[in-house]
Amino acid sequence: MGGILVYALHDGEGNFNKNSLGALSEATSLASDLGAEAAAVVVGNVSDDQAQSLGNYGVTKVYRASDVPEGLAQPIVDVMAKIIQDDGFSYALFGGGLLGFEIGAGLTARLDAGVTMEVTSVKVADGKLVSERPILGDSQIADVGYVSEPGIIIGRLNAFDVKESGGTAEVVDVNVELSEWSTRAEMITRGEQRGEDVDIEAADVLIGGGRGLGSAEGFDACEELAGAFPNGAVAATRAVVDAGWYPYAAQIGQTGKTVAPKLYLAVGVSGAIQHKVGMQNSEAIIAINKDANAPIFEFSDLGVVGDLNKIMPKLTEALKARKG
Amino acid sequence: MKICVLVKEVPDAAVQKRIDPQTMRLDRSGENNLNPFDTHAIEAAVRFKEGDELPVDEVVAVTMGPDSAQRALQKAVALGADRSVHLCDDALLGSDVCATGKALAKVLESENPDLVLLGQQSDDGECYTIGAVVAEHLKMPSLTQVVGIEVEGDKLKCERQAEYGYDTVALTMPAVISVGDAINEPRYPSLKAIMGAKKKPLDTKAIGDVGIDAAEVGDTGSKTTVIALNEPPAKEAGEIIEDEDTAETVEKIVAWLDERKLI
Ligand SMILES: Cc1cc2nc3c(=O)[nH]c(=O)nc-3n(C[C@H](O)[C@H](O)[C@H](O)COP(=O)(O)OP(=O)(O)OC[C@H]3O[C@@H](n4cnc5c(N)ncnc54)[C@H](O)[C@@H]3O)c2cc1C
Ligand SMILES: Cc1cc2nc3c(=O)[nH]c(=O)nc-3n(C[C@H](O)[C@H](O)[C@H](O)COP(=O)(O)OP(=O)(O)OC[C@H]3O[C@@H](n4cnc5c(N)ncnc54)[C@H](O)[C@@H]3O)c2cc1C
């Protein structure tokens, strides 16, 4: 039985992503059940100390490809494919996010491997890993196994808890020749912050605005509604951030923030899984949406089927009147 | 140059999607439609053809799917594709991402495109991995979830959001790009385009026509296997208010908030 190789994503300066650290912890515990080892792979600018520190999440070995840039999938596919083949890993595991999807997909093609994604939990059955993969808007959970090795597992955002075990890891530097096509993508800028640096994490109440608002101006009404609550702020979906209607710092979800306010009031938000994963632990969820079949109603405590343009202003007015 | 757009037929948004417990596959017997996310990829391709930044001769819609998937291709053509290719073969049934990626790459190879565009995700499988799988087989650079593309010579400067914010990445063509739904506002097809779509060339291919080995696709070629389907933990259903009288609706919302001491 080969081990589990985990990709540890970082910001370019060796500050690791929380979802990757969770994946390391998960791999460590799964590997011990399998009687195998878990290892990490890092690329780019990662110091000895930073690489060794991954041992704190249970892995004993960290492969480091310093010459390979962080942030683009295909060069990392080259690195991971080589390590998996040379050292006989049975699985590759990724924490939730975006790059792990691209790298995992690339490995699927390169190594002729099975892949599961949006995985919320992994279990061991007969000495093999089985992924729990929610499907069809989380209405069912499929247990998916692999018919060959390696198996590629891509986690859902926040699926794996970070567990610190206090160890330190051995760092092994690797040199990998990149495929020709992996060198035909060039990072020009990475991690640009678009829009104001708003703080949404301290708010008790978040008004989550989506494409149903119709335009950037629609967010004025959200801000008014947020102002009618004690300690309210405004959050957004990727669709509206991509459209430039609201700052990236306010985005909730798979490639944004994870929040758990006392109240999340979603207006004109469909409730895509990639948004849900960032706000489903809110204490109370209210949704206003004109489509009675919108997925958001499946996980709202109070669902209001109607036109936000009619309801929001009146709600703001009523709350302001109460506040006096 | 040639742009191929990958499009998929998926159950219509109004259909309650379910897995057939016999086959462990998605029940596709209800109303189907073109994957809504793919309309953005078609629109992006058609805008390149209409514009003068890229010398696009042809936009070709490509799908793999059952007989009915022809209708998705016709929609793609109504939205501006010049012709379409349908990979249709019983041997493909039950293909997972690994097998689907291989099969699609083979059809694409037979078209030899300079650019391949896809949607951000399919509305049924929601695997959002096909783009990167196909790119690797075609030995092309790729990027997913792209919301802006600028042409700079033989390079495409692409913008997309990743874990730390927005990345700008230059890809040298030929390349594979999956586009996010914020990249454009797809047009509605004109009646003339809808009527004309059936007359545009539609090439149906079996696996042998594009050199796909039956053992590499379908159930036999798939590397994942669904062992069981389980229900998620039961969750208390939320309360629903239909907004008929808005004053009353607002009163109810306020009372609900009040009860939970949220105001
Ligand atoms: C890899 C990946 C990562 C992603 N990461 C994220 C992420 O981090 N965060 C995120 O949010 N998304 C993310 N997405 C995108 C996600 O899949 C959805 O596309 C997005 O969340 C949809 O945003 P929305 O709800 O604003 O828009 P839509 O899905 O278009 O929904 C708009 C809703 O508004 C309703 N509406 C319209 N008009 C009105 C009205 N007048 N009154 C009331 N309701 C109205 C409609 O019924 C609809 O339900 C990601 C996707 C992928 C593939
Ligand atoms: C509910 C469900 C869950 C599944 N889970 C898994 C899983 O965990 N692992 C696994 O290996 N397989 C899985 N599959 C099978 C997988 O969905 C199919 O192999 C599918 O053809 C490719 O994935 P996708 O449609 O989700 O692609 P995505 O990667 O989400 O699609 C992105 C884009 O690729 C293009 N595209 C996708 N399929 C086609 C096609 N057939 N023809 C042309 N263009 C296409 C479209 O442009 C689409 O917008 C699942 C299927 C279902 C129905």
Side-chain angles (χ1 to χ4, degrees):
Chain A
M1 168 56 65
I4 306 172
L5 186 63
V6 182
Y7 164 63
L9 167 74
H10 64 91
D11 61 356
E13 282 157 16
N15 302 304
F16 293 104
N17 188 280
K18 179 172 157 275
N19 275 274
S20 291
L21 299 180
L24 288 173
S25 301
E26 181 72 11
T28 301
S29 107
L30 291 167
S32 97
D33 290 349
L34 291 172
E37 299 271 303
V41 56
V42 299
V43 301
N45 188 12
V46 177
S47 70
D48 288 346
D49 282 353
Q50 286 169 327
Q52 283 159 2
S53 77
L54 294 177
N56 189 22
Y57 309 95
V59 292
T60 48
K61 195 185 226 177
V62 177
Y63 295 90
R64 177 173 61 185
S66 302
D67 298 341
V68 172
E70 175 64 304
L72 288 173
Q74 284 164 305
I76 303 170
V77 173
D78 289 327
V79 174
M80 289 185 74
K82 181 163 164 42
I83 296 170
I84 290 170
Q85 283 173 321
D86 288 357
D87 290 1
F89 281 91
S90 295
Y91 299 95
L93 180 71
F94 299 88
L98 178 69
L99 212 61
F101 278 82
E102 294 181 334
I103 303 166
L107 287 173
T108 297
R110 193 72 76 81
L111 302 174
D112 201 16
V115 61
T116 54
M117 58 293 293
E118 290 289 340
V119 173
T120 47
S121 168
V122 185
K123 51 196 176 193
V124 178
D126 302 328
K128 289 182 174 179
L129 297 187
V130 173
S131 298
E132 290 190 18
R133 146 111 166 98
I135 55 169
L136 305 179
D138 291 354
S139 63
Q140 287 199 297
I141 300 170
D143 282 358
V144 186
Y146 298 89
V147 302
S148 61
E149 288 184 0
I152 315 293
I153 305 166
I154 307 169
R156 174 172 284 192
L157 195 79
N158 305 321
F160 308 128
D161 292 334
V162 179
K163 293 189 198 95
E164 299 191 43
S165 57
T168 158
E170 171 205 1
V171 181
V172 180
D173 284 300
V174 289
N175 267 309
V176 177
E177 198 173 331
L178 301 185
S179 309
E180 185 273 333
W181 61 96
S182 296
T183 62
R184 285 201 281 132
E186 185 200 345
M187 182 75 79
I188 297 174
T189 52
R190 181 175 184 223
E192 187 194 328
Q193 304 301 303
R194 299 234 165 124
E196 260 176 275
D197 185 19
V198 290
D199 179 17
I200 57 167
E201 273 143 314
D204 290 323
V205 175
L206 281 177
I207 310 301
R211 188 156 28 206
L213 290 167
S215 67
E217 288 68 50
F219 273 94
D220 296 345
C222 289
E223 282 174 355
E224 276 212 37
L225 179 53
F229 282 96
N231 194 17
V234 176
T237 64
R238 187 184 78 170
V240 297
V241 172
D242 273 345
W245 296 359
Y246 215 67
Y248 171 66
Q251 184 185 305
I252 306 299
Q254 189 159 335
T255 46
K257 296 208 163 81
T258 298
V259 293
K262 292 199 173 97
L263 172 67
Y264 191 89
L265 199 169
V267 288
V269 173
S270 62
I273 301 294
Q274 299 85 357
H275 189 74
K276 177 183 174 182
V277 293
M279 47 65 79
Q280 61 187 349
N281 290 330
S282 304
E283 285 172 42
I285 300 172
I286 303 184
I288 303 177
N289 195 305
K290 67 177 182 187
D291 174 8
N293 293 319
I296 192 133
F297 291 130
E298 301 290 329
F299 55 94
S300 299
D301 302 297
L302 177 65
V304 182
V305 184
D307 184 349
L308 65 89
N309 298 310
K310 276 167 58 188
I311 300 164
M312 251 212 307
K314 288 220 166 81
L315 180 59
T316 307
E317 210 178 289
L319 292 176
K320 276 194 180 153
R322 259 183 70 109
K323 230 175 155 183
Chain B
M1 68 176 274
K2 187 195 282 186
I3 304 180
C4 282
V5 185
L6 287 176
V7 300
K8 188 184 188 191
E9 182 192 50
V10 298
D12 188 82
V15 172
Q16 184 76 47
K17 295 192 256 309
R18 65 178 277 272
I19 300 291
D20 179 340
Q22 236 68 57
T23 59
M24 287 291 200
R25 291 183 201 140
L26 186 67
D27 177 359
R28 299 186 184 276
S29 62
E31 186 73 29
N32 291 305
N33 211 332
L34 172 62
N35 179 27
F37 294 103
D38 298 346
T39 59
H40 298 276
I42 301 163
E43 180 69 29
V46 172
R47 286 190 193 183
F48 276 134
K49 191 179 172 204
E50 289 168 349
D52 49 16
E53 287 178 306
L54 286 178
V56 180
D57 303 304
E58 213 185 9
V59 174
V60 184
V62 177
T63 199
M64 159 179 151
D67 286 332
S68 59
Q70 265 200 24
R71 285 197 304 264
L73 288 176
Q74 276 160 5
K75 278 217 167 143
V77 169
L79 288 166
D82 298 296
R83 62 181 175 88
S84 58
V85 180
H86 184 187
L87 178 65
C88 184
D89 200 307
D90 286 345
L92 296 163
L93 272 174
S95 294
D96 67 356
V97 164
C98 183
T100 303
K102 267 188 233 175
L104 286 173
K106 283 285 185 194
V107 207
L108 288 168
E109 262 169 35
S110 74
E111 286 288 334
N112 197 22
D114 302 282
L115 177 63
V116 179
L117 296 177
L118 307 83
Q120 70 174 44
Q121 67 193 88
S122 72
D123 208 30
D124 51 5
E126 285 203 277
C127 297
Y128 29 99
T129 41
I130 289 295
V133 175
V134 163
E136 204 56 39
H137 285 300
L138 296 176
K139 301 189 173 9
M140 291 182 187
S142 86
L143 205 65
T144 67
Q145 314 301 325
V146 169
V147 292
I149 308 177
E150 255 180 63
V151 181
E152 276 185 4
D154 65 343
K155 289 196 167 80
L156 298 175
K157 234 169 90 181
C158 302
E159 278 176 27
R160 62 94 173 261
Q161 192 188 94
E163 286 91 343
Y164 295 101
Y166 283 85
D167 295 347
T168 304
V169 179
L171 304 181
T172 307
M173 286 189 280
V176 178
I177 297 173
S178 101
V179 301
D181 59 358
I183 194 169
N184 55 38
E185 199 55 61
R187 68 196 71 185
Y188 287 99
S190 67
L191 194 59
K192 189 169 153 246
I194 295 171
M195 303 305 285
K198 287 201 174 107
K199 295 193 199 94
K200 297 271 178 75
L202 189 161
D203 224 351
T204 304
K205 294 191 191 267
I207 57 168
D209 300 334
V210 287
I212 298 168
D213 178 353
E216 296 272 302
V217 293
D219 273 329
T220 29
S222 290
K223 304 292 179 186
T224 53
T225 172
V226 180
I227 298 165
L229 277 181
N230 300 307
E231 297 303 314
K235 187 182 165 285
E236 214 177 304
E239 209 175 308
I240 294 283
I241 304 173
E242 304 267 353
D243 178 41
E244 276 149 14
D245 173 343
T246 302
E248 210 176 286
T249 301
V250 165
E251 242 172 67
K252 283 186 194 157
I253 301 173
V254 172
W256 195 94
L257 291 168
D258 221 0
E259 217 174 284
R260 283 156 191 83
K261 304 205 163 36
L262 289 164
I263 40 178

